[in-house]
Amino acid sequence: MSSPPGWSHKVEGLRNHDAARLRTDMKNTKGDIMGQPVVHFEVIGKDGAALQSFYADLFGWKIDTDNPMNYGVVHGDGGEGTGIGGGIGTGPEGYPGHVTFYIGVPDVEAALAKAEGLGGSRVMGPEKVMEEIEIGLFNDPEGHLIGVVKTS
């Protein structure tokens, strides 16, 4: 598999110039630099059960599907080096799926409106899921799907 054009130059630049900073950033688990933190990842596809099995087998994740949507919850315990929690599930009929991450925000509507004001486009939300969780999704100006979830 070959890299996209120009990618090797960027990787080499990272190796030579930014690797120490990247290592420091990856070790920063206190959230004292990042404003609103990444709090959840999500993998949605056509066959949630198959994806859940794949990721459980690949990474040794314990996946809890004991909920009405059979959404596979991957718990992160918040300890140093454990990563964030996430979910793996099935999308609506005909939906090809997505991989995204969610940012914790105090107000989903305000975050979506701000994203739109900065050149993004709202995909959905605010919407309540699993009764107590409010989320929204938007595409950034290049079309990447990003989620926001109410944390307060």
Side-chain angles (χ1 to χ4, degrees):
M1 177 193 223
S2 63
S3 298
W7 184 253
S8 62
H9 173 71
K10 291 177 193 231
V11 171
E12 194 60 35
L14 175 63
R15 284 188 194 126
N16 294 335
H17 180 51
D18 295 328
R21 181 175 176 166
L22 180 60
R23 281 192 299 275
T24 301
D25 287 349
M26 291 173 66
K27 289 180 182 177
N28 178 19
T29 60
K30 293 184 173 72
D32 55 352
I33 295 174
M34 182 181 283
Q36 293 174 311
V38 175
V39 296
H40 186 80
F41 70 85
E42 183 171 71
V43 179
I44 298 295
K46 296 175 184 175
D47 186 344
L51 288 170
Q52 291 160 2
S53 178
F54 173 81
Y55 286 104
D57 291 347
L58 179 62
F59 297 123
W61 292 349
K62 306 274 188 266
I63 300 176
D64 178 7
T65 59
D66 187 20
N67 60 70
M69 296 171 57
N70 292 320
Y71 184 74
V73 177
V74 181
H75 294 283
D77 67 10
E80 188 172 332
T82 61
I84 62 171
I88 304 168
T90 303
E93 184 69 32
Y95 182 68
H98 66 260
V99 175
T100 194
F101 57 87
Y102 286 80
I103 308 299
V105 297
D107 184 328
V108 171
E109 174 58 36
L112 292 171
K114 186 172 184 177
E116 289 174 312
L118 294 170
S121 60
R122 185 183 306 233
V123 174
M124 60 135 326
E127 186 173 311
K128 293 268 186 176
V129 296
M130 292 190 204
E131 297 177 26
E132 69 279 353
I133 300 171
E134 184 177 62
I135 66 169
L137 292 167
F138 66 91
N139 285 326
D140 71 13
E142 291 192 6
H144 305 109
L145 185 67
I146 309 296
V148 290
V149 60
K150 187 172 183 175
T151 55
S152 58

